[in-house]
């Protein structure tokens, strides 16, 4: 709805070149999303570390992933064994029932979602240390009549830091 101009802005998203063609991004992120690997505690009693995509392949770990999420191209490029599902709920169920070794998700969202989807069984799953930090931004509509003006108001209330621009985040 922000893309087509029905709404002026949305919160919060990671910067991509593709998104910057359709939305305005402010100079400064509002925070960082931290990504971890969730796994079944009794399957890996010694835990797992903050594994890169290549590490997942080298360790022979299987990943359950939601189709069309940000990590799809990276998993495939690294040659990771992946089982794709259509919803987060299916991903959590597959992880719980040991049909995959890990599921990657942001720490905060993952903690909430596993509790919602798994109830009491959520305690059977734990997560690795952070393997990725991603700056997060509000996105302002290029099509809404107030999109640009709201971006300017946002920018005026938050002086830019050159090391945290969206472009710096993907370098």
């Amino acid at each position: 709805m922000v893309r087509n101009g029905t709404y002026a802005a949305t919160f919060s998203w990671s910067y991509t070149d593709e998104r910057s063609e359709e939305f305005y991004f402010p100079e400064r992120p509002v925070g960082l999303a931290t990504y971890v690997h969730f796994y079944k505690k009794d399957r890996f009693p010694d835990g797992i570390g903050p594994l890169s995509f290549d590490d997942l392949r080298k360790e022979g770990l299987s990943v359950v992933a939601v189709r069309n999420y940000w990590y799809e191209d990276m998993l495939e490029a690294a040659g990771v064994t992946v089982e794709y599902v259509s919803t987060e709920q299916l991903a959590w169920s597959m992880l719980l029932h040991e049909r995959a070794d890990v599921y990657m998700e942001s720490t905060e969202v993952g903690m909430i979602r596993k509790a919602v989807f798994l109830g009491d069984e959520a305690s059977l799953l734990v997560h690795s240390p952070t393997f990725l930090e991603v700056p997060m931004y509000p996105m302002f509509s290029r099509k809404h009549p107030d999109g640009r003006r709201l971006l300017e108001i946002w920018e005026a209330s938050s002086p830019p830091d050159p090391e945290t621009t969206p472009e710096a985040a993907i370098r």
Side-chain angles (χ1 to χ4, degrees), residues 68-79:
N68 297 318
Y69 271 30
W70 64 270
Y71 45 61
E72 187 171 354
D73 291 341
M74 290 182 257
L75 287 167
E76 291 187 14

PDB file of all heavy atoms in Angstrom, residues 68-79:
ATOM      1  N   ASN A  68      10.831 -16.814  -0.940  1.00  0.00           N
ATOM      2  CA  ASN A  68      10.842 -15.388  -1.294  1.00  0.00           C
ATOM      3  C   ASN A  68      11.305 -14.468  -0.165  1.00  0.00           C
ATOM      4  O   ASN A  68      11.036 -13.272  -0.217  1.00  0.00           O
ATOM      5  CB  ASN A  68       9.474 -14.921  -1.820  1.00  0.00           C
ATOM      6  CG  ASN A  68       9.088 -15.633  -3.086  1.00  0.00           C
ATOM      7  OD1 ASN A  68       9.913 -15.830  -3.979  1.00  0.00           O
ATOM      8  ND2 ASN A  68       7.845 -16.055  -3.173  1.00  0.00           N
ATOM      9  N   TYR A  69      11.987 -14.994   0.841  1.00  0.00           N
ATOM     10  CA  TYR A  69      12.555 -14.134   1.873  1.00  0.00           C
ATOM     11  C   TYR A  69      13.933 -13.674   1.426  1.00  0.00           C
ATOM     12  O   TYR A  69      14.519 -14.205   0.471  1.00  0.00           O
ATOM     13  CB  TYR A  69      12.637 -14.869   3.214  1.00  0.00           C
ATOM     14  CG  TYR A  69      11.380 -14.740   4.062  1.00  0.00           C
ATOM     15  CD1 TYR A  69      10.115 -14.584   3.501  1.00  0.00           C
ATOM     16  CD2 TYR A  69      11.452 -14.791   5.438  1.00  0.00           C
ATOM     17  CE1 TYR A  69       8.978 -14.482   4.278  1.00  0.00           C
ATOM     18  CE2 TYR A  69      10.321 -14.679   6.229  1.00  0.00           C
ATOM     19  CZ  TYR A  69       9.092 -14.526   5.644  1.00  0.00           C
ATOM     20  OH  TYR A  69       7.966 -14.423   6.425  1.00  0.00           O
ATOM     21  N   TRP A  70      14.486 -12.708   2.122  1.00  0.00           N
ATOM     22  CA  TRP A  70      15.737 -12.048   1.761  1.00  0.00           C
ATOM     23  C   TRP A  70      16.904 -13.006   1.576  1.00  0.00           C
ATOM     24  O   TRP A  70      17.818 -12.732   0.826  1.00  0.00           O
ATOM     25  CB  TRP A  70      16.101 -10.998   2.822  1.00  0.00           C
ATOM     26  CG  TRP A  70      16.389 -11.579   4.173  1.00  0.00           C
ATOM     27  CD1 TRP A  70      15.501 -11.796   5.181  1.00  0.00           C
ATOM     28  CD2 TRP A  70      17.655 -12.041   4.659  1.00  0.00           C
ATOM     29  NE1 TRP A  70      16.120 -12.366   6.263  1.00  0.00           N
ATOM     30  CE2 TRP A  70      17.454 -12.529   5.966  1.00  0.00           C
ATOM     31  CE3 TRP A  70      18.941 -12.103   4.116  1.00  0.00           C
ATOM     32  CZ2 TRP A  70      18.483 -13.060   6.747  1.00  0.00           C
ATOM     33  CZ3 TRP A  70      19.960 -12.633   4.896  1.00  0.00           C
ATOM     34  CH2 TRP A  70      19.736 -13.090   6.194  1.00  0.00           C
ATOM     35  N   TYR A  71      16.908 -14.132   2.247  1.00  0.00           N
ATOM     36  CA  TYR A  71      18.061 -15.031   2.250  1.00  0.00           C
ATOM     37  C   TYR A  71      18.059 -16.074   1.141  1.00  0.00           C
ATOM     38  O   TYR A  71      19.029 -16.804   0.973  1.00  0.00           O
ATOM     39  CB  TYR A  71      18.171 -15.740   3.601  1.00  0.00           C
ATOM     40  CG  TYR A  71      16.864 -16.283   4.135  1.00  0.00           C
ATOM     41  CD1 TYR A  71      16.126 -17.252   3.460  1.00  0.00           C
ATOM     42  CD2 TYR A  71      16.352 -15.817   5.343  1.00  0.00           C
ATOM     43  CE1 TYR A  71      14.938 -17.741   3.957  1.00  0.00           C
ATOM     44  CE2 TYR A  71      15.151 -16.304   5.856  1.00  0.00           C
ATOM     45  CZ  TYR A  71      14.457 -17.269   5.165  1.00  0.00           C
ATOM     46  OH  TYR A  71      13.271 -17.759   5.655  1.00  0.00           O
ATOM     47  N   GLU A  72      16.994 -16.161   0.368  1.00  0.00           N
ATOM     48  CA  GLU A  72      16.847 -17.235  -0.623  1.00  0.00           C
ATOM     49  C   GLU A  72      18.016 -17.280  -1.618  1.00  0.00           C
ATOM     50  O   GLU A  72      18.627 -18.337  -1.818  1.00  0.00           O
ATOM     51  CB  GLU A  72      15.523 -17.071  -1.363  1.00  0.00           C
ATOM     52  CG  GLU A  72      15.211 -18.220  -2.282  1.00  0.00           C
ATOM     53  CD  GLU A  72      13.798 -18.157  -2.858  1.00  0.00           C
ATOM     54  OE1 GLU A  72      13.003 -17.291  -2.464  1.00  0.00           O
ATOM     55  OE2 GLU A  72      13.516 -18.996  -3.731  1.00  0.00           O
ATOM     56  N   ASP A  73      18.341 -16.167  -2.237  1.00  0.00           N
ATOM     57  CA  ASP A  73      19.437 -16.150  -3.216  1.00  0.00           C
ATOM     58  C   ASP A  73      20.776 -16.498  -2.583  1.00  0.00           C
ATOM     59  O   ASP A  73      21.592 -17.208  -3.178  1.00  0.00           O
ATOM     60  CB  ASP A  73      19.526 -14.787  -3.904  1.00  0.00           C
ATOM     61  CG  ASP A  73      18.352 -14.513  -4.831  1.00  0.00           C
ATOM     62  OD1 ASP A  73      17.659 -15.474  -5.235  1.00  0.00           O
ATOM     63  OD2 ASP A  73      18.118 -13.328  -5.139  1.00  0.00           O
ATOM     64  N   MET A  74      21.009 -16.014  -1.367  1.00  0.00           N
ATOM     65  CA  MET A  74      22.288 -16.284  -0.698  1.00  0.00           C
ATOM     66  C   MET A  74      22.435 -17.753  -0.323  1.00  0.00           C
ATOM     67  O   MET A  74      23.524 -18.320  -0.445  1.00  0.00           O
ATOM     68  CB  MET A  74      22.434 -15.388   0.529  1.00  0.00           C
ATOM     69  CG  MET A  74      22.643 -13.939   0.167  1.00  0.00           C
ATOM     70  SD  MET A  74      22.861 -12.912   1.628  1.00  0.00           S
ATOM     71  CE  MET A  74      21.263 -12.160   1.703  1.00  0.00           C
ATOM     72  N   LEU A  75      21.357 -18.371   0.136  1.00  0.00           N
ATOM     73  CA  LEU A  75      21.405 -19.799   0.461  1.00  0.00           C
ATOM     74  C   LEU A  75      21.709 -20.623  -0.785  1.00  0.00           C
ATOM     75  O   LEU A  75      22.550 -21.529  -0.750  1.00  0.00           O
ATOM     76  CB  LEU A  75      20.078 -20.255   1.072  1.00  0.00           C
ATOM     77  CG  LEU A  75      19.792 -19.799   2.496  1.00  0.00           C
ATOM     78  CD1 LEU A  75      18.330 -20.046   2.849  1.00  0.00           C
ATOM     79  CD2 LEU A  75      20.716 -20.502   3.484  1.00  0.00           C
ATOM     80  N   GLU A  76      21.038 -20.305  -1.864  1.00  0.00           N
ATOM     81  CA  GLU A  76      21.251 -21.060  -3.092  1.00  0.00           C
ATOM     82  C   GLU A  76      22.640 -20.833  -3.664  1.00  0.00           C
ATOM     83  O   GLU A  76      23.284 -21.772  -4.123  1.00  0.00           O
ATOM     84  CB  GLU A  76      20.143 -20.747  -4.089  1.00  0.00           C
ATOM     85  CG  GLU A  76      18.818 -21.316  -3.594  1.00  0.00           C
ATOM     86  CD  GLU A  76      17.676 -21.208  -4.584  1.00  0.00           C
ATOM     87  OE1 GLU A  76      17.915 -20.935  -5.773  1.00  0.00           O
ATOM     88  OE2 GLU A  76      16.535 -21.426  -4.140  1.00  0.00           O
ATOM     89  N   ALA A  77      23.130 -19.597  -3.608  1.00  0.00           N
ATOM     90  CA  ALA A  77      24.474 -19.300  -4.108  1.00  0.00           C
ATOM     91  C   ALA A  77      25.538 -20.047  -3.310  1.00  0.00           C
ATOM     92  O   ALA A  77      26.557 -20.472  -3.859  1.00  0.00           O
ATOM     93  CB  ALA A  77      24.738 -17.795  -4.062  1.00  0.00           C
ATOM     94  N   ALA A  78      25.301 -20.241  -2.015  1.00  0.00           N
ATOM     95  CA  ALA A  78      26.271 -20.945  -1.164  1.00  0.00           C
ATOM     96  C   ALA A  78      26.133 -22.455  -1.266  1.00  0.00           C
ATOM     97  O   ALA A  78      26.968 -23.189  -0.739  1.00  0.00           O
ATOM     98  CB  ALA A  78      26.100 -20.501   0.293  1.00  0.00           C
ATOM     99  N   GLY A  79      25.087 -22.937  -1.939  1.00  0.00           N
ATOM    100  CA  GLY A  79      24.904 -24.376  -2.084  1.00  0.00           C
ATOM    101  C   GLY A  79      24.405 -25.060  -0.830  1.00  0.00           C
ATOM    102  O   GLY A  79      24.653 -26.245  -0.609  1.00  0.00           O
TER     103      GLY A  79
END
